[in-house]
């Protein structure tokens, strides 16, 4: 690590990541956090995950898997750890699943799977949105991605 001054005389820390592994960088950016149970744990923030992914040109999922392998918990999953543990969260991040049908039930299932940390979700549905189905869909799902697939709601 070297320190330099930018043109506004603020201290900037520059890390030469060519000499560091992903795990070393995770170790650099991990922070001490407190679980809902009151226990301390080593966590990794969303910002740290994004930074490492950009620096090493890998997916955020790969950063999270590497962190979990080193017992560093992505903070967004810390509430899961009390239920499924670090090995369970690691299995979820490594797992993939396909959901066929994105109606009222399928859409809810997809959201739950994403929230618990399933690593890869493939969504299969040949239907388009119809006005009589909008009451079963969350508003944020009716966006650009759906309009681009032929939805009549431009």
């Amino acid at each position: 690590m070297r320190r330099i001054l930018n043109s506004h005389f603020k201290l900037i820390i520059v890390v030469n990541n060519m000499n560091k592994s992903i795990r070393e960088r995770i170790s650099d950016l991990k922070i001490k956090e407190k679980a809902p149970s009151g226990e301390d744990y080593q966590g990794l923030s969303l910002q740290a995950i994004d930074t490492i992914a950009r620096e090493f040109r890998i997916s955020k999922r790969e950063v999270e898997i590497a962190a979990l392998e080193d017992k560093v918990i992505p903070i967004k999953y810390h509430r899961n750890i009390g239920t499924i543990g670090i090995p369970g969260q690691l299995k979820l991040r490594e797992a993939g699943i396909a959901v066929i049908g994105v109606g009222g039930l399928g859409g809810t299932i997809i959201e739950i799977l994403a929230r618990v940390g399933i690593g890869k979700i493939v969504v299969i549905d040949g239907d388009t949105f119809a006005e009589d189905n909008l009451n079963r869909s969350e508003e944020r799902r009716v966006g650009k991605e759906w309009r681009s697939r032929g939805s009549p709601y431009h």
Side-chain angles (χ1 to χ4, degrees):
M1 211 171 0
R2 61 191 163 100
R3 297 170 188 257
I4 61 172
L5 293 176
N6 72 6
S7 61
H8 299 289
F9 304 105
K10 291 181 182 174
L11 184 64
I12 299 175
I13 298 175
V14 178
V15 178
N16 181 355
N17 288 319
M18 297 306 203
N19 299 325
K20 288 196 171 213
S21 72
I22 294 166
R23 287 194 161 80
E24 288 172 324
R25 193 68 173 119
I26 289 169
S27 183
D28 289 346
L29 296 178
K30 69 184 178 185
I31 54 177
K32 187 177 178 180
E33 287 288 317
K34 196 164 283 293
S37 65
E39 295 179 44
D40 290 336
Y41 72 92
Q42 297 298 315
L44 199 61
S45 70
L46 289 172
Q47 182 179 4
I49 291 166
D50 186 54
T51 298
I52 295 167
R54 278 186 287 109
E55 288 174 358
F56 288 92
R57 296 183 181 172
I58 61 174
S59 71
K60 293 176 187 178
R61 176 182 175 221
E62 291 172 298
V63 174
E64 291 174 351
I65 288 170
L68 287 163
E69 288 173 343
D70 287 349
K71 309 291 187 247
V72 177
I73 302 166
I75 294 171
K76 66 181 177 180
Y77 300 125
H78 84 267
R79 292 184 186 271
N80 298 1
I81 302 304
T83 306
I84 61 175
I86 292 174
Q89 190 65 53
L90 183 57
K91 285 180 185 178
L92 287 175
R93 288 307 288 149
E94 293 173 331
I97 191 164
V99 178
I100 301 171
V102 190
L105 182 59
T108 302
I109 289 170
I110 291 164
E111 182 177 351
I112 292 167
L113 292 170
R115 286 177 185 254
V116 298
I118 292 291
K120 184 175 182 180
I121 301 172
V122 176
V123 178
I124 303 165
D125 194 323
D127 202 1
T128 58
F129 273 109
E131 192 171 343
D132 62 343
N133 280 334
L134 292 178
N135 68 323
R136 300 183 318 154
S137 301
E138 293 181 38
E139 186 176 328
R140 68 177 173 270
R141 291 195 194 136
V142 185
K144 229 188 270 183
E145 66 277 1
W146 293 108
R147 284 194 298 262
S148 67
R149 294 184 183 170
S151 171
Y153 303 103
H154 296 73

